[in-house]
Each structure stands twice: as structure tokens, then as C-alpha cells.
Amino acid sequence: MICIKKTGKILGMAGVGFMALKGFQAHKEHRSLSSLMIEETLDTLNLFPTIHSQEDLEQYVSHGCKPFELPEIAKLRYHFKYLKGFDDTLEYVPKEQTNKVIFYIHGGAYWFEPITLHYDMLHKLSKKSLARVVMPIYPKAPLHNAHEATAMVLSRYLHLINDEFVDPANIILMGDSAGAGMALSLLEVMRDREYPLPGRAVLLSPWLDVSTSNPEMEGIQSSDPLLSIKDLQFQGKVYADTLDTKDPLVSPIYGDLTNLPPIDVFTGTHDILYADAEKLGKMAEDKDIDLKIHTYENMNHVFMVYPIPEARGVVKEIAGLIS
């Protein structure tokens, strides 16, 4: 019994020492301890399956590619429901609301459905900004391609304007990762077609180039526990289908950035996609475009959805931008 007590005490002291060491590391890196601990476990969480070959694709289609169903947690805890008249678009309406609408395009490499963290972040943002959330669950690769996905999302956006009579100036076009890339692509498309543009856009860790060819990504890869250049290159090519992977419809960084509404980009330096966000910022600066890059040191891909202080700060900042 004495031996067991001593062992437990030693293990407890070791745990305290470990956390103290991690706390010192987090302080040195100017970040929260929780963000550091999440970063060190992201590669073990397997949030999305690894797909970087034809064999992976075939296995995913056989076993993991299922029709979307609104998760129980999204319904019961976060109070999302289907938008009236649609079985492929969700909405959340806060008890108190303004006339603002967050039209949100979720990420997931254009292959995967939204995860619980998406619902959690959007629920918090909606309550802080008093804005309604509308989120299309667009058709995914590998069964569908960029033309199909963007056409569906655009039709839901136009539904808000033409059928619900939402003032486009009150719409905030927003997305994360692949969804943020699609948001910028759609802005370029809508401008070219002379469709009504939203009041502003907010892009979280955007995937701006599905060719994933920026050489600066290689230097960040070792710091990114979530994304793989190899995976994204394969997934992006499948999503692009007959399009060149540098076509602006799938890689908006190659498109025309002029005459768009104000755009805010939130990104972290431990994200391989940070390289293109930084590139986009320089392009916008050179052309005097209303686009602002918000950079967070040592933060991971789409860190804004994690339960960490840095994410809470971003949600608060976005709520201030759109309220």
C-alpha cells in the first residue's frame, strides 16, 4: 500500500512537472497552453481519413462515402435545422437576431461533411453577432466536382436574395479551408456575372490553390500536424475534375481580385495554407484591394473552431466586424 501511494505521488509530480514544462513552452511561443496541447494531439485525432491515392479513393467510396444526415448533436445542442424547403441546407437562428445573415461554406477538402467543431463555432458566432446562419451542405468529391458544388452553393445564395428577399448588403459570405476558397471563387464568379455581391467576406484558413504548388508550403509542413501537401494535391485534383487545378473556380488566387467587397482573412503560421494567404495579402496590397490578413503566430489550420482562447478572440473579432 505504501509503495502504491509513493508511486502515485511520483506520477502526480511527474504530471505536474510535464504541464509546467508545457506551460513554459507555450509562454515562450506566446500562445495558450490549450492551443499547444491540441496541436500536439491533432495528428492522432484522425478528424478526416487519409486520401492520397486511387486506392484510398476507392476504399472511401466503398465504406466512408455516405449521404449527409444532420447529426443529433447539431440538432439538440446547437439547434441547427434544415432550411425550409431544402434537405441539403442548414440554418441556425438565434433567439435575438438582426437582419444579418452569415452564409457559411464549410471546409473539409471538398470531400468531407462539417464536423462538430463547425457547429460549435457557428453557434457561438451567431449568438455574439445576432446573425442568422445558413450553411449549404454541397455535393462532395469524389462523386461530384467543382462545377456541381459551386452551382449548388450559388443557387442557395441566390435563394436568399430572390426568394427570401434578403438584402445582399446584409449577407456575410464566410467559410473555412476549402469552403473559404470556394467563397472567394464565388465572389469572382458573381462579380463577373453581375450578380448582387454580399456586404463582406470572411475567410478562415482559406485553401486558395488546390494545386498546392506554392514552394513555401514545404517549409511549413513540419509545423502542420493536420494537413498534408500530398493529400491535398490528390484531393484537389479529383475535385477539379476536368478543370485545370489552377483554374480560378477551384483556385481563386489565380483569379481577378478587383471590384469585390471587403475581405478579411484569418490564418495561422502553423498551417501550410498560410503560405498562400500571405501571397494573397501581398497581391491585394500591390493592387490596393480591400483585403486584410489577420495572422496568428503558431496557430494551426482552422484553429478558430478549437476550444482555445485564441479562437474565442477570433470569434469575438469577427462578430465585431459583421455586427
Side-chain angles (χ1 to χ4, degrees):
M1 182 65 73
I2 294 175
C3 182
I4 293 174
K5 286 184 178 179
K6 286 185 176 180
T7 301
K9 187 175 181 180
I10 292 170
L11 290 174
M13 291 173 63
V16 171
F18 173 78
M19 293 306 294
L21 181 63
K22 288 299 176 184
F24 175 76
Q25 181 182 346
H27 178 74
K28 186 177 179 181
E29 295 180 5
H30 305 288
R31 64 191 300 184
S32 66
L33 175 59
S34 54
S35 75
L36 176 63
M37 299 304 290
I38 285 178
E39 178 177 90
E40 294 187 350
T41 57
L42 273 175
D43 60 347
T44 65
L45 294 179
N46 299 317
L47 294 176
F48 302 107
T50 299
I51 301 175
H52 55 228
S53 68
Q54 186 64 29
E55 183 180 353
D56 292 336
L57 183 156
E58 291 171 0
Q59 185 174 0
Y60 177 66
V61 170
S62 299
H63 303 290
C65 196
K66 300 177 181 178
F68 175 79
E69 291 185 11
L70 180 59
E72 287 298 309
I73 191 171
K75 288 189 288 187
L76 300 178
R77 182 170 181 178
Y78 301 115
H79 307 293
F80 276 80
K81 61 182 180 180
Y82 288 102
L83 181 65
K84 185 177 180 180
F86 298 97
D87 61 2
D88 57 7
T89 303
L90 309 179
E91 73 168 341
Y92 169 71
V93 182
K95 291 181 180 179
E96 296 181 54
Q97 62 172 312
T98 61
N99 54 6
K100 297 285 185 178
V101 178
I102 299 169
F103 187 79
Y104 195 87
I105 311 175
H106 70 85
Y110 300 115
W111 285 59
F112 311 117
E113 306 296 3
I115 59 177
T116 301
L117 292 172
H118 284 111
Y119 299 110
D120 181 66
M121 184 274 290
L122 287 170
H123 185 258
K124 291 173 181 174
L125 177 59
S126 178
K127 290 178 70 175
K128 284 186 178 296
S129 63
L130 303 181
R132 171 188 173 207
V133 175
V134 174
M135 180 166 65
I137 308 299
Y138 51 88
K140 308 292 192 299
L143 301 182
H144 302 278
N145 59 31
H147 285 297
E148 296 167 296
T150 54
M152 180 272 191
V153 174
L154 183 55
S155 70
R156 297 299 177 271
Y157 172 83
L158 293 175
H159 165 78
L160 292 179
I161 295 169
N162 297 329
D163 299 316
E164 294 194 18
F165 307 108
V166 176
D167 184 346
N170 289 327
I171 298 177
I172 301 92
L173 182 59
M174 186 173 174
D176 69 278
S177 193
M182 188 193 291
L184 184 55
S185 294
L186 287 178
L187 283 178
E188 296 170 356
V189 168
M190 290 190 286
R191 177 207 54 215
D192 293 345
R193 296 183 184 178
E194 299 184 353
Y195 290 166
L197 293 172
R200 72 181 311 120
V202 178
L203 312 180
L204 309 179
S205 300
W207 190 14
L208 299 166
D209 179 3
V210 301
S211 75
T212 319
S213 56
N214 189 334
E216 298 297 322
M217 290 181 177
E218 293 287 352
I220 305 173
Q221 182 67 90
S222 62
S223 299
D224 189 332
L226 190 61
L227 300 183
S228 158
I229 294 172
K230 183 179 180 181
D231 287 4
L232 291 185
Q233 285 176 339
F234 180 82
Q235 292 164 6
K237 186 174 178 60
V238 172
Y239 172 71
D241 197 14
T242 58
L243 293 173
D244 188 282
T245 54
K246 293 188 177 181
D247 188 293
L249 189 65
V250 292
S251 298
I253 199 167
Y254 299 107
D256 178 9
L257 299 174
T258 59
N259 300 314
L260 299 178
I263 300 171
D264 288 271
V265 178
F266 292 82
T267 182
T269 60
H270 283 191
D271 176 357
I272 57 174
L273 303 186
Y274 166 71
D276 278 331
E278 189 177 42
K279 178 180 175 181
L280 182 73
K282 291 177 181 176
M283 291 168 58
E285 186 177 352
D286 291 342
K287 296 183 179 181
D288 197 27
I289 291 167
D290 190 358
L291 184 149
K292 183 178 180 181
I293 305 292
H294 306 255
T295 301
Y296 288 75
E297 295 294 327
N298 303 316
M299 289 294 106
N300 303 115
H301 182 61
V302 197
F303 72 92
M304 311 83 181
V305 304
Y306 302 156
I308 58 176
E310 292 86 350
R312 291 193 288 273
V314 170
V315 169
K316 183 178 180 180
E317 185 173 356
I318 294 172
L321 286 172
I322 67 181
S323 296

